[in-house]
Amino acid sequence: MPEIVAATATPERGRVRQPTQVYAVAAVSALGGLLFGYDTGIISGALLYLREDLHLSSQGQEVVVSVILVGAMIGALISGRLAGRLGRRRVVLWVAVIFAVGALGAATAPNTGALIAARLVLGLAVGGASNMVPVYIAEVAPPAVRGRLMVLFQLMVAIGQLIAYLASWLKSSPSVWPPSPS
């Protein structure tokens, strides 16, 4: 990668960032892509257990899986307006908080309704991240590396899905991960 010689100014408040700061901000921001991929991918392995634990019907499984996409549509639609009012950086930070709340809610959901609500919240974060993170990265990146850093978000989505599938495989494979005693 070619080094950036000069510091770059960001559109937000005219601050100057050093090259290492640009890469760090882009990497941390792209974690939204990792969470996006993980949250949309992990449900495939989790359904094996949720179906039994929550006594989900076929229709219940469909709702649990798809509600994150409904939330993502809503999150993508409202994040742009919020960014206009609050700024992209602040919206990206709020998206991170929403991811944490949704993940905690999904992990501790005692019933189907709570799981659906938590996945809807996760969807809001997924939509907000998919809308705001690439834009934020583009704003902080200098033109010389902007394209390279923009790809980082999409790469992280794919890595998040890969991690989700590997985690599901490890959990479901008795030869790799022994089942817990009942």
Side-chain angles (χ1 to χ4, degrees):
M1 273 190 222
E3 283 299 312
I4 305 167
V5 178
T8 58
T10 62
E12 288 188 37
R13 294 183 215 105
R15 288 185 286 178
V16 175
R17 295 196 190 276
Q18 296 301 321
T20 54
Q21 287 179 310
V22 171
Y23 287 115
V25 166
V28 170
S29 298
L31 288 176
L34 181 84
L35 293 171
F36 177 161
Y38 184 82
D39 286 332
T40 56
I42 196 64
I43 196 66
S44 63
L47 268 182
L48 300 171
Y49 304 99
L50 292 173
R51 186 174 36 227
E52 295 172 19
D53 291 348
L54 297 177
H55 310 290
L56 289 175
S57 65
S58 185
Q59 183 180 18
Q61 292 175 55
E62 292 168 2
V63 171
V64 166
V65 170
S66 63
V67 73
I68 198 168
L69 300 175
V70 172
M73 289 187 293
I74 296 167
L77 287 171
I78 64 173
S79 63
R81 286 185 182 251
L82 287 175
R85 284 191 205 145
L86 306 173
R88 279 173 263 303
R89 181 174 181 257
R90 190 169 289 160
V91 171
V92 169
L93 292 172
W94 274 106
V95 162
V97 170
I98 295 168
F99 265 123
V101 168
L104 184 61
T108 60
N111 57 43
T112 305
L115 180 61
I116 289 170
R119 289 200 35 94
L120 181 68
V121 170
L122 280 169
L124 294 172
V126 164
S130 67
N131 192 10
M132 286 296 105
V133 170
V135 173
Y136 184 67
I137 291 172
E139 286 182 343
V140 300
V145 294
R146 187 170 294 144
R148 198 172 309 140
L149 293 180
M150 291 291 296
V151 161
L152 190 57
F153 177 79
Q154 197 59 41
L155 175 66
M156 294 301 274
V157 170
I159 290 171
Q161 290 173 336
L162 177 64
I163 291 170
Y165 292 128
L166 288 174
S168 296
W169 174 71
L170 286 171
K171 182 68 177 152
S172 66
S173 178
S175 62
V176 177
W177 190 280
S180 58
S182 299

